[in-house]
Amino acid sequence: INGIPRLCWVQLGSVKWVRLGSGKWVRLGSSTWVQLGSGKWDQLGSGNWVQLGPATGSSWDHALAMELQPLALTYGNGAPIRLLSNHFLASAEKVGNGVWLAWQVDFPSTKNGDSRLARKPREAGKELRTNAVQKLCQQMPATEWLFDGGHRLYTRRGQRVPCGKHEVQLATGRPPLVVEVQAAGNQGGPRQQEIDLSRLILDPRKMRNKEVLDEIGEEFRFLQVAMRCFAVNDLGLVSKGRRVVNPNTGPHDGEEVALRHGRELWMGYMANLEVIDDGLGGMRCSLSLNYCASVGLLAMSVIELLAHIIGEDWCRGQAYKRKEAAAFYSSELMQTGSYWPKSLTQTLIRTLNSETGLRKLRVVVNYGGYSRKCTVVGITNESSLDKQFWLEERWISVNEYFEQKWNIKLKNPGLPCLELNKRGNCVPMELVTVLGGEHNLMIGKLSSDYQSEISRQTTFSPKERRRRIEGFLKDVRVGPLGGLQNNGIVLTPSMLSVDGHCLQAPELVGTGPVRANNYANSVQAVSPPDFAVPWGLWYLTRDKEGDVKRFADTVQRTALNRGIRLESCNFIDWPRRAAQECIPGRQFETIKEALCEDLSAVHEQFQWPEHSLLFVLLPPQCEHVNNFYRALKMLTETKFGSFATQCINVLDRPDRSGNSGLQLAERKLNNIMIKLTSKLPQYQRGKHLSAGTAHTVCLRNPHWLLNGGTVVLGADVTHNAAGVSVAGVVATRGSDFATYFSELRAQSPYVYGADKKRQRKAEERIIFLTEMVEALLRRWRDSNSGHLPSTVLYYRDGVSNGQFKPVLTLELNLLVEAFRRIGGEGYKPQLVIIVGQKRHQTRFFVDEPQADGKGKSNSSDKNGKGKGRGDQGKGKGKGKEEMNHIPPGTAAGLGIAQHGHLNFFLVSHQGIKGTSIPCHYHLLHADKRLVNPSTKCAPTAEDFENVTYQLCHLYGRADKVVSYATPTYIADHLAELGKLHVEAQFPDSLEDLASVYPSSDHSNSNDSQLKECVEERVRWFNSDTWRKMADSSFQGRHYFL
């Protein structure tokens, strides 16, 4: 077996056996991974086996492990700055009887009938589990036990829970729920696990041992459960994960904020217990508390929700009329009888079938004597009277079925039906109620329908955010303090003070004045295309032809001012066929076929070389416009691959100042030219391109790590792309560190064991990293005189703390394998692995006495020179400075970093609105051979801070310093492009596919069908789409920006 050093293996029949160093033979199962001794090995796509974690035994060899750098006691030497962090130190001095026992609670189900035909039963839901445990513990005081809603029960020491299996009757007429309770054992021992909160009284002598983190991990988990249970059970709040929100609180003094499609804006907090550095090499406990917003939905009937959605158009943005409109349409819908409501147009039906409408909502149906929770997968185009299905050798309508089967006479059979759990399972709308609370709480990345409005409503100044966070801490009626105090945990009332430092901004090089964050209007590209670029312009807007021609002239003049020479525009026209099909209701394939004809006509008529440009003016974003955009990107980057595209969305009506959409678009052209530059090659040789990509700026004095022998890699993975994950990896192509080669792969988000169970929904590991990096290094070698890099900086995005070892240990070995393939056994470049995290809750605020804004603030700052009024920036003061944003380049680590390895926070971007979010960088591997050529010493924390900060200045999409390292930002854009291609080709997600299968969602046959579907999509992208993109002239150019 390739990749396992010094291990013997033999195949006997169809079974493979591996011999360990001790002589013991282990059989390999049919799964993609195997356990050898104490280590787990994973089979890669190439067939190699790589260990996922370090082995503890010495009887056999293992692959490379990460070389974690120790936590620094000193960081950068920039200008010092006093900061406050939203961390509050936690003390366990008053825990008292703080010992709890842990119990494992399972809810086994029994199968009836032939086991070969029986479907795998679903596990009981969270509400049923909670009710069952509550009945089991009803003899104990409520303060003596905690249940996390899953499978872990905690009881205070001295309270006993009856072990074994119990049948708990929850509702009359329903079968009892089987509950099995057993003592949760400690890892590596038979004793029952104990949660001793006194362990949080940290001994500084013990805090230097990394094992302490493992010892107190279960205590942290217990306290998180305690805070969540207190918020839900005692305060009546809504909790999902670590997010707690108040349905009755809006962002402005509790005022309700209505969002689109019946949703509301709910405010709350996220609280997380952490172990951080104490500044002396030890550790301490803290609670990070952040103010947050979520999109929620109140419990109501589906008809009421539909009335809210219909009434939005009537309100025309006037929020105070929404309740009136909802009441009117609700009354109208309840009186439709057998007639289809006029307000239910086909456009509205399409909206209802989207995730911003009714799709994926959690609902409850009440008929047949009990209620069932379901998920909406669609809404029918027909009413209950017209929708029919085949039953017992005849066609029957939904209305007739419910009347005969359930003796239910529908009051409004003219309304459409909802499809619940799977396609074709139709239930009349009037029998369905939307679940409120946590069931339909939106968290994570939001759609554009909500994101812009939430950003507008919740953009607070740093001072206001700090005030709200401190308010949550002090108010036991809504904050997490009560849940901690009940268990003897005391928090400091003030935010944690942190010593930070400001890094010196690097000097940028351009042919004009270059100033970070503001050079788009003045600078010319330092390396523009050395030829006149042929181009044309399409427009799908309603602007007059003369206005569009003037816009084209403005584009040409602006490009020349920025150093790009454009030829006279070859054409200004509509895409004839695509314009006819780009209308509401048209499917993607129809628009794609029409657009393909138009692009073929352009290609044949003008015979453009492989360095041409197509400008496209699009109307505001909507479904059919987005379909046009996806089709345009898909065709130009795969089928044609001969010209880059630049799209601009143009408003279809003047703004409040009377400026037309084209006039507003002209104001964006300077920034667009920065993005456009990197989409073009630097040199032209006939119809073929030589090495080099145009770029706008570069570094004058790069850090010593960014020398000519260094390549910077960036990697990211995006998920839920029509059921697959898409990995993007980029590599700098030269010493400018501003342009990148790219590699994309789709990969299966499912891992199947021998029992064919689905293990996880997303694959964060980059399975094909070896061949991707090998291809990138081969291109790097071709562009750099045949030499391979001596140093590799690998920036990784999207990896959480719990995934560091399983993900990055694997990727470390895949990188080493790529080095071996491209350069042989003797090629061993110096490797550095850095992970950047944005999804954390740590925020920084300038300590008020240190605020140096020129305007006078509301605080007692005596240094303000102007007569401004607080954050408003009036008078002589400057409003942006008075907002007290964290200065760009602010880094902090001492006293706030995580313990155990080198990590730091960096605010690289300039704050404009709201509170700047720092990026948390973790140095997880650094080659010991890496040495500063000047000092002959190993690199310090300051070196990694500065090299990361310099890379943040080289973002090729805008003139702004970005908030996290450019390589990972570019990789994120690349992965999103791959996601766009996959979703354009396969519009159905895996949830949609599962809903049409006749078998159970959790049956083996359904899993096999999903696996086959996933593998088909992965093969299509990797062998067809990406292969065309990789071989096209776009390689090395930022066509994906």
Side-chain angles (χ1 to χ4, degrees):
I1 300 177
N2 296 331
I4 300 184
R6 293 194 293 276
L7 288 178
C8 296
W9 67 275
V10 65
Q11 182 160 346
L12 303 178
S14 60
V15 179
K16 283 180 180 167
W17 295 77
V18 174
R19 183 164 65 94
L20 306 182
S22 59
K24 181 180 179 180
W25 289 83
V26 177
R27 177 179 177 177
L28 299 186
S30 58
S31 62
T32 58
W33 64 268
V34 63
Q35 186 86 22
L36 300 181
S38 59
K40 180 185 282 188
W41 292 71
D42 196 19
Q43 187 180 30
L44 310 180
S46 59
N48 291 342
W49 290 78
V50 175
Q51 188 189 356
L52 299 183
T56 57
S58 58
S59 60
W60 55 287
D61 294 322
H62 57 84
L64 294 174
M66 291 184 296
E67 298 177 0
L68 298 179
Q69 300 300 298
L71 188 67
L73 295 181
T74 59
Y75 284 83
N77 296 319
I81 181 173
R82 291 292 301 276
L83 303 172
L84 293 176
S85 174
N86 61 334
H87 284 246
F88 301 87
L89 295 181
S91 171
E93 299 291 343
K94 300 181 179 180
V95 293
N97 182 20
V99 179
W100 295 68
L101 302 178
W103 306 86
Q104 179 69 20
V105 184
D106 295 311
F107 302 87
S109 301
T110 57
K111 294 182 180 180
N112 298 321
D114 190 347
S115 60
R116 295 173 298 175
L117 302 177
R119 298 175 180 176
K120 183 179 177 180
R122 297 182 180 180
E123 188 179 40
K126 180 180 178 181
E127 186 175 349
L128 289 177
R129 295 196 300 265
T130 303
N131 292 338
V133 172
Q134 190 172 4
K135 273 206 166 187
L136 282 179
C137 300
Q138 61 186 352
Q139 301 299 327
M140 286 188 289
T143 57
E144 300 297 300
W145 63 276
L146 279 176
F147 180 57
D148 67 353
H151 298 275
R152 186 55 58 96
L153 172 66
Y154 303 97
T155 62
R156 199 180 294 273
R157 189 163 61 181
Q159 301 288 343
R160 303 296 298 177
V161 176
C163 294
K165 287 188 177 182
H166 309 271
E167 292 188 353
V168 181
Q169 189 71 44
L170 297 176
T172 305
R174 298 289 300 272
L177 182 64
V178 179
V179 183
E180 184 176 359
V181 182
Q182 57 184 346
N186 278 313
Q187 294 182 356
R191 291 184 56 190
Q192 184 173 6
Q193 188 178 45
E194 291 187 352
I195 291 83
D196 187 357
L197 297 181
S198 64
R199 293 175 186 166
L200 302 181
I201 305 176
L202 305 176
D203 186 344
R205 294 170 298 179
K206 295 181 179 180
M207 293 309 294
R208 291 181 173 82
N209 299 326
K210 291 171 56 178
E211 292 76 10
V212 176
L213 287 174
D214 299 328
E215 292 180 8
I216 63 175
E218 193 62 29
E219 279 73 19
F220 272 16
R221 178 183 175 185
F222 168 81
L223 290 176
Q224 292 288 162
V225 173
M227 287 190 292
R228 184 170 67 244
C229 291
F230 176 79
V232 175
N233 301 331
D234 293 47
L235 303 181
L237 304 179
V238 174
S239 174
K240 192 168 187 178
R242 294 179 179 176
R243 183 179 300 253
V244 177
V245 295
N246 188 350
N248 302 315
T249 302
H252 309 292
D253 298 325
E255 178 185 353
E256 294 183 5
V257 176
L259 303 175
R260 297 192 62 189
H261 306 137
R263 273 70 171 184
E264 292 183 351
L265 180 59
W266 295 349
M267 306 306 299
Y269 62 87
M270 291 190 70
N272 185 34
L273 284 163
E274 300 181 21
V275 175
I276 61 173
D277 169 44
D278 66 355
L280 301 173
M283 294 183 286
R284 53 186 174 179
C285 299
S286 73
L287 177 78
S288 66
L289 183 64
N290 194 23
Y291 188 67
C292 68
S294 299
V295 178
L297 185 60
L298 294 175
M300 64 181 77
S301 68
V302 172
I303 293 180
E304 288 182 86
L305 178 58
L306 180 58
H308 278 281
I309 297 175
I310 297 174
E312 289 176 2
D313 293 333
W314 180 81
C315 294
R316 298 179 181 272
Q318 297 173 311
Y320 66 93
K321 292 185 177 181
R322 288 189 175 181
K323 289 186 178 181
E324 178 185 349
F328 172 80
Y329 283 104
S330 178
S331 176
E332 182 184 76
L333 292 173
M334 293 297 292
Q335 299 176 12
T336 55
S338 302
Y339 298 97
W340 182 272
K342 294 181 180 180
S343 53
L344 281 181
T345 62
Q346 289 303 309
T347 301
L348 181 59
I349 291 293
R350 286 194 297 271
T351 300
L352 297 176
N353 267 311
S354 68
E355 293 185 20
T356 55
L358 301 180
R359 187 165 162 264
K360 291 191 176 180
L361 279 185
R362 292 289 293 165
V363 297
V364 60
V365 292
N366 295 280
Y367 63 86
Y370 57 92
S371 62
R372 295 175 296 278
K373 293 179 181 177
C374 306
T375 301
V376 179
V377 299
I379 182 172
T380 63
N381 290 315
E382 302 169 288
S383 68
S384 301
L385 289 170
D386 300 326
K387 182 65 178 178
Q388 294 185 332
F389 60 96
W390 187 258
L391 178 67
E392 297 178 353
E393 300 184 354
R394 72 184 184 96
W395 290 98
I396 185 173
S397 69
V398 174
N399 178 65
E400 186 180 358
Y401 169 79
F402 273 85
E403 187 173 0
Q404 295 180 3
K405 174 70 175 179
W406 302 105
N407 195 27
I408 297 176
K409 180 71 173 179
L410 298 180
K411 298 178 180 178
N412 298 283
L415 293 175
C417 301
L418 295 180
E419 294 177 303
L420 304 182
N421 288 344
K422 62 181 181 180
R423 296 289 184 182
N425 184 27
C426 300
V427 178
M429 187 176 289
E430 62 186 74
L431 302 180
V432 184
T433 302
V434 177
L435 291 169
E438 65 172 325
H439 299 284
N440 289 302
L441 189 68
M442 295 185 184
I443 59 176
K445 189 174 181 180
L446 300 174
S447 66
S448 57
D449 293 288
Y450 306 116
Q451 187 61 61
S452 58
E453 179 64 16
I454 288 179
S455 298
R456 189 180 69 85
Q457 293 282 354
T458 61
T459 299
F460 305 115
S461 67
K463 185 182 299 184
E464 177 63 17
R465 177 173 288 271
R466 175 185 168 186
R467 184 186 70 81
R468 291 174 182 251
I469 291 174
E470 291 175 338
F472 269 121
L473 182 71
K474 297 174 183 177
D475 193 349
V476 294
R477 297 171 301 174
V478 294
L481 188 59
L484 295 175
Q485 287 180 340
N486 291 344
N487 292 281
I489 304 298
V490 179
L491 299 178
T492 57
S494 57
M495 288 189 173
L496 178 66
S497 179
V498 178
D499 291 329
H501 54 277
C502 295
L503 304 176
Q504 184 177 0
E507 187 177 352
L508 301 179
V509 178
T511 56
V514 179
R515 186 162 62 95
N517 293 317
N518 190 23
Y519 59 77
N521 298 331
S522 58
V523 72
Q524 287 190 349
V526 66
S527 297
D530 71 342
F531 57 93
V533 180
W535 72 295
L537 188 148
W538 272 351
Y539 65 100
L540 277 76
T541 61
R542 299 179 180 179
D543 297 290
K544 297 179 181 179
E545 184 176 356
D547 294 336
V548 178
K549 288 182 178 180
R550 283 190 290 272
F551 178 82
D553 294 337
T554 304
V555 170
Q556 193 168 5
R557 288 195 305 270
T558 305
L560 186 60
N561 293 336
R562 304 283 77 80
I564 306 173
R565 290 184 295 122
L566 298 181
E567 293 182 354
S568 297
C569 193
N570 293 140
F571 60 86
I572 300 175
D573 200 1
W574 285 54
R576 300 292 179 178
R577 284 276 294 111
Q580 296 175 3
E581 300 296 341
C582 188
I583 58 177
R586 284 290 191 269
Q587 297 297 320
F588 170 78
E589 286 298 329
T590 304
I591 297 177
K592 179 183 173 183
E593 292 175 4
L595 185 57
C596 185
E597 295 182 20
D598 293 326
L599 291 172
S600 299
V602 170
H603 190 69
E604 294 174 3
Q605 180 178 357
F606 296 98
Q607 294 296 314
W608 274 353
E610 295 180 342
H611 52 263
S612 309
L613 173 65
L614 177 62
F615 250 89
V616 184
L617 301 181
L618 297 174
Q621 291 188 7
C622 57
E623 183 179 0
H624 61 279
V625 173
N626 291 339
N627 284 336
F628 179 93
Y629 176 80
R630 289 198 295 265
L632 177 68
K633 285 291 184 181
M634 193 172 184
L635 291 171
T636 56
E637 293 165 3
T638 56
K639 182 177 177 61
F640 294 94
S642 58
F643 43 83
T645 58
Q646 180 59 57
C647 300
I648 305 177
N649 289 102
V650 180
L651 294 179
D652 54 2
R653 64 185 66 180
D655 65 359
R656 295 180 179 179
S657 301
N659 298 310
S660 67
L662 286 179
Q663 290 175 325
L664 296 174
E666 289 177 0
R667 299 178 183 177
K668 305 176 184 177
L669 288 179
N670 280 320
N671 279 318
I672 287 176
M673 292 305 157
I674 295 177
K675 179 166 62 171
L676 187 62
T677 302
S678 60
K679 292 185 177 183
L680 299 171
Q682 188 174 359
Y683 305 109
Q684 176 196 19
R685 298 294 182 268
K687 290 188 176 182
H688 301 283
L689 305 177
S690 65
T693 296
H695 53 279
T696 303
V697 295
C698 62
L699 298 170
R700 182 177 296 278
N701 298 307
H703 189 271
W704 65 266
L705 280 170
L706 300 178
N707 55 59
T710 298
V711 62
V712 181
L713 302 178
D716 190 21
V717 181
T718 185
H719 306 293
N720 299 324
V724 305
S725 299
V726 179
V729 183
V730 298
T732 53
R733 62 176 301 157
S735 59
D736 56 73
F737 297 100
T739 56
Y740 292 82
F741 295 114
S742 56
E743 280 287 316
L744 263 176
R745 293 292 188 279
Q747 55 191 36
S748 170
Y750 293 95
V751 174
Y752 287 85
D755 54 357
K756 303 297 182 184
K757 290 182 180 179
R758 189 169 63 194
Q759 299 295 330
R760 55 178 175 264
K761 295 183 178 180
E763 180 56 78
E764 186 58 45
R765 303 172 300 173
I766 303 180
I767 300 299
F768 303 102
L769 185 62
T770 294
E771 59 187 75
M772 297 171 77
V773 173
E774 181 185 5
L776 292 170
L777 292 180
R778 184 175 292 109
R779 297 191 188 103
W780 195 95
R781 181 178 59 186
D782 296 341
S783 299
N784 291 272
S785 306
H787 300 293
L788 286 171
S790 59
T791 304
V792 178
L793 303 182
Y794 180 65
Y795 280 86
R796 184 66 158 87
D797 187 23
V799 181
S800 62
N801 292 6
Q803 297 174 313
F804 281 168
K805 284 189 177 180
V807 172
L808 293 171
T809 302
L810 171 67
E811 294 186 3
L812 167 64
N813 288 274
L814 296 184
L815 288 169
V816 172
E817 174 64 17
F819 301 154
R820 186 191 65 80
R821 289 188 184 182
I822 191 69
E825 296 291 343
Y827 177 55
K828 297 179 180 180
Q830 299 165 351
L831 175 63
V832 176
I833 297 178
I834 300 176
V835 171
Q837 296 176 332
K838 290 289 286 183
R839 294 185 179 181
H840 59 83
Q841 300 305 316
T842 298
R843 302 292 185 267
F844 292 113
F845 308 90
V846 177
D847 203 353
E848 289 295 340
Q850 298 294 320
D852 56 357
K854 296 182 180 179
K856 185 177 180 181
S857 68
N858 286 335
S859 68
S860 58
D861 183 13
K862 301 294 182 64
N863 296 325
K865 297 180 180 180
K867 297 180 180 180
R869 297 181 182 177
D871 294 338
Q872 302 301 319
K874 297 181 180 179
K876 298 180 181 179
K878 295 182 179 180
K880 289 185 179 179
E881 294 182 359
E882 293 177 20
M883 293 282 285
N884 284 348
H885 287 297
I886 298 294
T890 298
L894 193 65
I896 189 64
Q898 291 183 3
H899 190 82
H901 61 274
L902 179 59
N903 61 104
F904 57 89
F905 294 91
L906 174 62
V907 180
S908 55
H909 59 295
Q910 174 66 58
I912 301 175
K913 295 181 179 180
T915 305
S916 300
I917 302 176
C919 187
H920 194 184
Y921 294 98
H922 301 260
L923 182 65
L924 296 183
H925 180 84
D927 197 302
K928 295 181 179 179
R929 298 170 297 163
L930 200 60
V931 174
N932 186 334
S934 300
T935 63
K936 307 301 180 182
C937 297
T940 63
E942 183 180 7
D943 290 313
F944 295 110
E945 290 174 353
N946 277 291
V947 72
T948 302
Y949 187 41
Q950 288 189 3
L951 289 173
C952 292
H953 286 71
L954 299 177
Y955 181 55
R957 191 173 183 176
D959 64 344
K960 303 293 187 292
V961 182
V962 291
S963 58
Y964 61 103
T966 296
T968 55
Y969 216 144
I970 298 294
D972 176 74
H973 286 301
L974 180 64
E976 289 295 329
L977 173 72
K979 182 177 181 179
L980 182 146
H981 282 274
V982 175
E983 290 179 340
Q985 182 69 18
F986 305 101
D988 294 329
S989 64
L990 283 190
E991 290 81 1
D992 296 329
L993 293 174
S995 67
V996 302
Y997 292 144
S999 57
S1000 170
D1001 289 350
H1002 298 273
S1003 66
N1004 291 339
S1005 60
N1006 191 22
D1007 273 345
S1008 299
Q1009 290 173 304
L1010 291 179
K1011 179 183 178 182
E1012 182 180 351
C1013 177
V1014 167
E1015 291 178 346
E1016 176 190 354
R1017 297 180 178 190
V1018 170
R1019 285 193 299 269
W1020 170 84
F1021 185 86
N1022 292 342
S1023 62
D1024 182 23
T1025 301
W1026 170 246
R1027 192 51 51 203
K1028 295 176 182 177
M1029 297 167 68
D1031 298 336
S1032 72
S1033 62
F1034 287 147
Q1035 186 54 243
R1037 293 153 57 182
H1038 298 174
Y1039 59 93
F1040 43 82
L1041 291 182

